[in-house]
Amino acid sequence: QVQLVESGGGLVQAGGSLRLSCAVSGRTFSTYAMGWFRQALGKEREFVAGISRSGGSTVYADSVKGRFTISRHNAKNTVYLQMNSLSPEDTAVYYCAADASWVVRTTADEYDYWGQGTQVTVSS
């Protein structure tokens, strides 16, 4: 069983930056594609960014493309989400998820394991 723990959330002013981290337990981290999702109050969970097993492929939601960067360090069993140029519309609980797939998928139901989430609040 895989466990994921997010960290790095907090309160930031519009235009600022945050870096989220997701620490993944187990010996098979490199066999999972990883994704970041977010859920704002009153909204459905939505895909933010994903990265393939090797880190060679990345996928971003249009709403964050050019502002957010997903990366992974397999030797540390960690995936990151660098968030720049934040706006209040980015306020949400951010979740890290793992998917036993060769490709990056964008649907939450396709992911196998989830972290507890970390709150990101962007003030105007």
Side-chain angles (χ1 to χ4, degrees), residues 10-114:
L11 177 64
V12 64
Q13 292 186 339
S17 298
L18 284 174
R19 189 179 76 156
L20 306 183
S21 298
C22 175
V24 183
S25 68
R27 302 169 182 167
T28 58
F29 175 68
S30 63
T31 69
Y32 291 90
M34 301 296 298
W36 286 96
F37 292 76
R38 67 186 182 186
Q39 187 165 19
L41 188 63
K43 294 185 177 181
E44 295 183 349
R45 186 168 47 185
E46 65 175 351
F47 173 79
V48 176
I51 189 166
S52 62
R53 294 180 177 187
S54 67
S57 298
T58 57
V59 180
Y60 297 93
D62 289 341
S63 59
V64 307
K65 189 175 297 183
R67 300 188 298 122
F68 290 11
T69 303
I70 188 171
S71 61
R72 67 191 295 163
H73 192 151
N74 285 354
K76 295 183 178 180
N77 282 20
T78 304
V79 63
Y80 305 94
L81 184 68
Q82 178 67 46
M83 304 185 294
N84 299 327
S85 301
L86 287 163
S87 71
E89 289 70 39
D90 297 312
T91 295
V93 176
Y94 284 71
Y95 297 92
C96 179
D99 177 20
S101 175
W102 291 102
V103 299
V104 177
R105 299 195 281 191
T106 60
T107 302
D109 288 346
E110 296 173 323
Y111 282 73
D112 302 303
Y113 302 100
W114 293 84

